[in-house]
Structures are given as structure tokens and as C-alpha cells.
Amino acid sequence: MLSVIIFLPLVASLILAVLPRLSDRIARWAWVAVTAVDLALIVGLWLRYDTPAPGGLAFEEQAAWIPGVNSSYHLGVDGLSLPLVAMTAVIFLACAVYALRNRHRPRGQAALFLFLQSVSLGLFIAADLILFFVFFDLSIVGMYFVIAAWGHGDPGRSAMKFFLYTFLGSLALLVGFIGLSVAADPHTFDMPALAAATPLAGRPLAGGLVLAAILIGLAVKTPTVPFHTWLPPAHTDAPAVGSAVLAGVLLKMGTYGFVRIAMPMLPQSWRAWAWVIIVVGVVSVLYGALVALAQTNLKRMIAYTSVNHMGYIVLAVGVAGLVATDTAQARTIAVTGAVTQMVSHGLITAALFLLTGVLRDRAASYDMREYGGLAATAPSFAALFAVGAFASLGLPAFTGFIAEFQIFTGSVAAAPATAVAILGILITAALFLRALQRVFTGDTRGHSVGFTDLHPAEVWSVGPLLLLSLLFGVLPRSLLDVIEPAAASAVDLVGR
């Protein structure tokens, strides 16, 4: 089943690519149909999911692949990956629906996004480091073409900057993976085997160097300060659906790598570096929020809030390394919050980026100073943006509140000094309220005059993302029941 979920979009992508006479209308609806079927398969998987034993995976598939280096085609999911797999499918379906009105090479766009969906799902399901790395690199190639071919402004430069930064990061990641395999006896790239063996335990220098390589690779992709500079131009010049996938899915590849690879495979080094990771997380939280506050470009502002929100996750996974008496429960809460934040940020930020695409579509400007009183001419747009803004700033009843409450409860209990990062929530609230005030309230002026409200495809793409955030915010148990056992297992592995 996992192979079908991964490769169904890829097969559809190849069919779209080799049928040049296929009409644009059929290509657009085929994209929606394939993503809907893939999501239905994942929902079926979720309904049959039973929590595996600690360190184990559910629905495993394994076959020989590159026996010379002991790398196999190994797939599986647990509570760390299954929520991200489902979130990925939801976001790609939302993008397919949003793009129903696209008239700019829709067949190519559908094929490219289906390819991206396959590699994104493959990364979250992979249980072999080489397989993980292949999907990691292919996601960079796919997003490069999304920005370069469907972007605006200076898409070539932004796409190149994105590619060079993240590709260099992936090379550092590959060095780290090779270091892990070489240290293992026997050599292997199998992820559960490496997590069980911890091959660099008792070798602090080698372990520290390998962890540094992996952290740099993942930090660039996340991104965290100071590896974030590729993010604002990439988002500003990407199409709306590209930004939604970049923020909603691709950024999570970095944070997922922290909990799936770095923490369980290098527990001693993770503990030794815990305070460095925590400081990077806190700096990212505060820096991202303050720079977002200074923006007048709405899309750029949302891009910087991603640096802020990813900082929460880095902070929480850093706290997992502060192994001390009576902190296990606090660290588990923090890691549970980190995984919940990955899902929450994916849903909410994807919705906000799709909404900013409406500004580009109608008025070709993201500058907040050129709008005013937009709620009067576009009430549906204003209502959905307000819901997304309040969800992003962590208002109760949304997933953002559940995630941030857990992150700070666990982090402050384990390390009281991390309370300084709570200021990030206050700054984020201020910047979203200011954006709402500038764009939607007051007299109708500038680009707001004659602004057309949301089309049905835009409502049906953004609405379900925010509805899911509300659903899991009000009824979080169905999500937390999956995440909590895996988070507890991850914390146990770090504490070995």
C-alpha cells in the first residue's frame, strides 16, 4: 500500500508528460482526481493504523535495492511520519483545486506537482537513508522548476538561490549519512537498524562531526537562522501553489529529519549539542518574528513567520536532549508539540500563501500599503484570511495553540530559560493584527477598489485547510493519539 501511495502521483505525472495532446481541462481535473484518490488511500491507511512497538514501523515494505552498501527499498510509517504523510496529501489536493483556474501551462504544472507529491510522500515514508536522500534531493529539483517556470518578479534568481543553498545543504547531509553508515558494523543505511545500534556512541568527536553535517543539511532545509536567507525571495517570487508546498511540506523535511534521523541515531551527540540547538531555536523564533514585523510585503511577512514557527520546533527538539531526572514527561510533551506544530504550520501557512496568491492574481501586488478596506469588497477573502491569521498566531481552538502550548509547557518545564521565546508569540500576534488592520479595515482604497472576491476553487482549496486546523484544534485527541507514543519513543532513544 505504501508504494502505491508514493508512486501513484508519479505514474500520473508521467502519463501527463507523455500525452501532449491532452487538453488543459482534462489535465487540471486529472490532477485533482489523482490527489483525491491518494488522500483517500492515506485515510484508509490511517484507519487501519496500530501503533507499532517502540523503534518499529507499521505497514513495512522492504526489498533489496543496493546490496553492495546494504541499502534497501525500505518503507514504513509511525506516529512521527503518518500525520505528515496525511498533511502532505491534503496540501497537494488543495493546490490542485486552487490551480483549476490556472491558464499558464496547466498540464506541465500538474505533472510537476504530481512528481513533487511523490517525492514528498516518499521522504516521509522512507526507512533507508539513501532512499531518504534521493527523495530529499528530488524535492529540490522539483521546487526549482516550480519557481523558475511559474514564478514572477525575478524567478530565475530566486530559484537559483533556493537550489544552491538547499543543494549544498543536502551535500552536507549526505556526508553525515555516509559517516553513520561507515561507523556501523555491519555497514548499513537502514534507519531502524542505525537508530537501534547508535554506531557513534562513545566516540564524541566523530559523533559531533557527523551530527554537525546532518544538522547543517537539515537546518538549511528547515530553515533556521542563519541558514534562512534563501527563503524570503523563494517565497516572494514563487507562484501561490509553489509557496504553499514549499512552506507546508518541504520545510517539514528538515524538522522531520531532526526527530527521525539526528535524535535517535546520534543520541549522545544530540545531548551534548542540546543547548546549541535550543539557542538556535530561540534566536529563530525572535529573529523571524521581529523581521516579519518590519515587512510591508504581505507574502514576505508570512515567509518570515515560517522562520519564527520553525524556531518553535527546533527549540522543542533541542529540549529533548536535556536529559535529567524527572524531565522525561516534559521532553515528551515538547516533542509531541513539535510534531503537532509541523502539521499545524503546514495546514495554516499553506492556506495563507494560497490567499496571498489571490492578491497577486487580482492586483499583482503584495504591498500592504497599496490596500485598505478590502473587507468591504472581498468579504470571503477577508474572513478566510482573518481565520488563517488568528490560527497562525496561536489562538485557542486551532492546532497552532495546541502545538505551541505543548512546546512551551515542555520546554519551560525542562529549561526555564526558554521562556524568553514566548515573546515570539506576542510579536507574531502584533504583526498579524497590524496586517489585518492595514489591508482589510478603514476606507476602501488603492487596489481594494473593484477587487473581486474569492472564486469557488479558491474557497474550496483554502477552506478545508483551515477547517482541519480548527477540527484538530477543538478535537486534538485523534491526532495526539498517533503522535504521543512516537514522541515518547523518540525521547527514550535520546536518553539512552
Side-chain angles (χ1 to χ4, degrees):
M1 178 61 81
L2 293 181
S3 294
V4 175
I5 288 171
I6 293 173
F7 292 109
L8 174 64
L10 183 60
V11 171
S13 170
L14 293 174
I15 292 173
L16 288 176
V18 300
L19 293 178
R21 294 184 180 178
L22 202 67
S23 73
D24 290 344
R25 177 182 170 80
I26 292 177
R28 284 192 291 264
W29 280 105
W31 183 11
V32 173
V34 171
T35 51
V37 170
D38 217 31
L39 177 59
L41 292 174
I42 292 168
V43 170
L45 197 76
W46 190 303
L47 294 175
R48 295 191 294 114
Y49 175 78
D50 287 322
T51 300
L57 297 170
F59 308 112
E60 281 189 275
E61 298 176 18
Q62 191 164 16
W65 184 34
I66 313 176
V69 295
N70 202 10
S71 175
S72 65
Y73 174 78
H74 191 183
L75 307 177
V77 292
D78 63 2
L80 301 177
S81 54
L82 185 58
L84 294 175
V85 169
M87 177 206 71
T88 298
V90 168
I91 290 174
F92 273 96
L93 176 57
C95 290
V97 174
Y98 184 91
L100 282 172
R101 296 181 63 250
N102 175 41
R103 298 294 180 268
H104 180 48
R105 292 180 288 174
R107 187 170 62 87
Q109 187 183 53
L112 184 56
F113 272 77
L114 286 167
F115 166 80
L116 257 178
Q117 182 172 352
S118 276
V119 300
S120 301
L121 291 170
L123 181 139
F124 293 128
I125 296 175
D128 182 276
L129 288 180
I130 295 298
L131 202 57
F132 179 97
F133 181 78
V134 168
F135 289 128
F136 191 92
D137 259 13
L138 289 178
S139 73
I140 297 171
V141 175
M143 184 51 65
Y144 168 81
F145 285 111
V146 167
I147 298 171
W150 281 270
H152 43 261
D154 192 357
R157 186 172 184 275
S158 296
M160 184 60 71
K161 189 172 185 179
F162 160 79
F163 184 88
L164 291 178
Y165 266 69
T166 51
F167 189 69
L168 282 172
S170 77
L171 294 180
L173 195 63
L174 180 61
V175 170
F177 288 175
I178 292 172
L180 275 170
S181 175
V182 168
D185 186 19
H187 303 324
T188 182
F189 287 95
D190 189 75
M191 292 161 71
L194 288 169
T198 60
L200 288 166
R203 299 161 63 183
L205 178 59
L209 291 173
V210 169
L211 180 63
I214 292 175
L215 283 182
I216 290 172
L218 298 175
V220 172
K221 191 82 169 186
T222 296
T224 61
V225 177
F227 304 108
H228 66 287
T229 54
W230 61 266
L231 183 73
H235 271 306
T236 304
D237 292 342
V241 288
S243 289
V245 168
L246 178 59
V249 179
L250 265 62
L251 301 192
K252 308 307 175 303
M253 294 177 179
T255 53
Y256 174 70
F258 290 138
V259 294
R260 171 62 69 204
I261 299 170
M263 286 169 56
M265 297 181 195
L266 295 156
Q268 290 184 335
S269 300
W270 189 269
R271 296 199 300 270
W273 284 55
W275 273 109
V276 175
I277 298 166
I278 290 170
V279 169
V280 170
V282 172
V283 171
S284 296
V285 167
L286 298 178
Y287 176 85
L290 287 170
V291 178
L293 184 63
Q295 302 301 311
T296 55
N297 181 308
L298 185 62
K299 200 175 185 188
R300 202 173 177 88
M301 183 197 83
I302 296 170
Y304 274 111
T305 64
S306 291
V307 177
N308 161 265
H309 284 92
M310 293 301 98
Y312 294 141
I313 298 171
V314 175
L315 165 64
V317 297
V319 164
L322 299 180
V323 178
T325 306
D326 298 331
T327 62
Q329 184 180 6
R331 290 183 287 119
T332 301
I333 292 171
V335 174
T336 301
V339 180
T340 308
Q341 177 74 330
M342 294 183 209
V343 178
S344 173
H345 180 265
L347 296 173
I348 296 168
T349 307
L352 287 173
F353 275 124
L354 291 178
L355 287 171
T356 57
V358 176
L359 296 179
R360 172 74 191 177
D361 181 60
R362 308 288 198 275
S365 174
Y366 301 122
D367 194 331
M368 289 185 278
R369 296 169 298 186
E370 296 177 358
Y371 296 89
L374 189 55
T377 53
S380 298
F381 177 74
L384 284 181
F385 193 92
V387 171
F390 284 118
S392 186
L393 63 86
L395 197 73
F398 291 98
T399 49
F401 173 77
I402 302 294
E404 290 170 18
F405 179 77
Q406 290 181 308
I407 287 172
F408 283 110
T409 299
S411 298
V412 173
T418 60
V420 67
I422 294 176
L423 286 173
I425 297 178
L426 180 64
I427 301 170
T428 306
L431 67 91
F432 270 115
L433 292 175
R434 190 194 62 161
L436 288 170
Q437 189 178 35
R438 278 187 172 186
V439 177
F440 296 103
T441 63
D443 297 330
T444 302
R445 62 181 181 82
H447 294 312
S448 299
V449 178
F451 195 95
T452 307
D453 207 355
L454 297 180
H455 298 288
E458 293 160 346
V459 174
W460 283 104
S461 59
V462 175
L465 295 174
L466 297 175
L467 188 62
L468 282 172
S469 176
L470 179 65
L471 178 66
F472 288 122
V474 175
L475 302 169
R477 185 40 53 192
S478 57
L479 178 62
L480 298 180
D481 279 345
V482 175
I483 296 174
E484 282 175 346
S489 177
V491 168
D492 287 342
L493 291 173
V494 173
R496 287 174 291 175

